[in-house]
Amino acid sequence: MPRQCIVEPHDMAQVLDPGSIVVADWHRSADSKEFFSRILHKKKRRNFGLLEAIVMPPNVSVDTVHYKIFLSGKSGVGKTALAARLAGFNIPNMHYETTGIETTVVYWPVKLRESGRVLFFRLQLWDCGENALRRFDHLLPSCKEQVDAILFLFSFTDRVSFDDLSNQIARGSESCDRVVKLVVGTKFDLFMHTDVTEREVTRFQEVWGLPVFRMGGDVSNVSNLGEVAPLLNCLAEHLWHQDCVATRSTILPVATQSEAATVVHV
């Protein structure tokens, strides 16, 4: 029988200060252009398939680390739209229910603060429709199997989705495995229709000890790196820190370019 646990707010993992592990706003630096150019095409984000990998010039050595990310949230909060935004895809104007599991690959380069080492994070985002999760019992275990991080979503225009966060976190923590947990509030720019106040968000952060990121619903500029950088950098920092703690070392085994297509992070 699998070990069961009850997750309390004080059980949440350590929250890192932004920029404590990776260089913040590195995407704005001149020395980052060579690396960010690999995820861009004609000034827009490149779309990567499941088997595609970053290719660097022979004289540039860079490692790739692989992670599985599960997007959790009730129907309509914007899980599919968030995955598209993080990947730089076009965001659909109309909402549609995800009928099964959809996966999206995001590559994101970071520079480690202490060593100056550059890493590519390959984030495979898993998104599953709420109705599909209810109908098919095997889908949620598949999404959570060997997962490295869970993004818990709520919408600023949907009060019920915010009130359900504690239940989401409890369900996402049932396995008690080491998993990075972050919260994302969507449709933040629709302030005229907000059902969740800043005071309530601050209180949630204080109680649960989880960072909350705010993402807008604007679909006009999906290639803006500055908009997604805070969330992707934070995710990279916590994933890297989690692995460092697990291995009791700051130097981790990573996949080289030649291995990137076959080696999956565990």
Side-chain angles (χ1 to χ4, degrees):
M1 180 180 295
R3 181 166 61 93
Q4 299 294 320
C5 69
I6 299 175
V7 178
E8 298 292 344
H10 58 267
D11 292 332
M12 294 297 101
Q14 176 186 356
V15 177
L16 305 173
D17 292 330
S20 59
I21 294 180
V22 307
V23 178
D25 293 332
W26 186 56
H27 63 283
R28 305 182 191 277
S29 303
D31 64 332
S32 73
K33 291 183 179 179
E34 174 65 30
F35 301 95
F36 276 94
S37 67
R38 302 296 160 172
I39 67 171
L40 298 173
H41 177 66
K42 296 182 179 180
K43 297 183 178 181
K44 294 184 177 181
R45 297 281 293 279
R46 280 187 57 192
N47 295 349
F48 290 92
L50 291 177
L51 300 180
E52 289 186 90
I54 294 290
V55 179
M56 296 295 293
N59 63 321
V60 179
S61 177
V62 60
D63 294 312
T64 301
V65 286
H66 296 230
Y67 295 96
K68 177 181 177 180
I69 318 298
F70 175 45
L71 306 184
S72 173
K74 67 185 296 287
S75 178
V77 297
K79 298 186 294 294
T80 302
L82 177 65
R85 186 179 297 276
L86 294 179
F89 295 174
N90 291 328
I91 301 174
N93 290 307
M94 299 296 293
H95 168 260
Y96 66 92
E97 175 75 14
T98 303
T99 56
I101 295 176
E102 292 185 0
T103 61
T104 305
V105 174
V106 177
Y107 277 97
W108 186 255
V110 302
K111 185 175 184 180
L112 300 181
R113 178 170 294 280
E114 289 191 5
S115 65
R117 181 183 180 186
V118 175
L119 296 171
F120 269 103
F121 279 71
R122 182 189 183 276
L123 308 174
Q124 188 176 39
L125 309 179
W126 285 53
D127 165 29
C128 188
E130 184 181 27
N131 290 330
L133 288 175
R134 291 175 178 174
R135 290 180 60 191
F136 305 106
D137 294 339
H138 67 282
L139 292 182
L140 183 58
S142 296
C143 290
K144 292 173 59 178
E145 183 181 8
Q146 295 185 327
V147 71
D148 298 292
I150 301 178
L151 301 184
F152 299 101
L153 275 67
F154 74 95
S155 169
F156 276 93
T157 63
D158 183 349
R159 176 74 200 192
V160 175
S161 67
F162 179 76
D163 292 337
D164 190 51
L165 278 177
S166 59
N167 292 329
Q168 277 195 62
I169 295 170
R171 288 193 299 268
S173 306
E174 285 176 354
S175 63
C176 296
D177 294 330
R178 57 185 184 93
V179 174
V180 170
K181 302 178 181 69
L182 303 177
V183 178
V184 181
T186 63
K187 306 177 185 179
F188 178 64
D189 52 347
L190 302 178
F191 58 89
M192 294 294 292
H193 306 282
T194 184
D195 290 331
V196 182
T197 67
E198 282 298 313
R199 178 178 295 181
E200 289 170 322
V201 173
T202 301
R203 176 59 179 164
F204 173 87
Q205 289 178 290
E206 293 172 349
V207 171
W208 285 92
L210 293 175
V212 177
F213 289 85
R214 297 155 177 80
M215 301 295 289
D218 182 20
V219 301
S220 61
N221 192 7
V222 296
S223 296
N224 185 1
L225 297 178
E227 182 177 315
V228 299
L231 176 54
L232 290 175
N233 283 337
C234 180
L235 190 56
E237 281 188 311
H238 282 78
L239 288 168
W240 187 252
H241 174 74
Q242 176 175 263
D243 280 355
C244 289
V245 170
T247 59
R248 299 180 181 275
S249 172
T250 57
I251 302 177
L252 303 178
V254 294
T256 61
Q257 283 193 82
S258 60
E259 302 168 325
T262 56
V263 177
V264 178
H265 169 87
V266 177

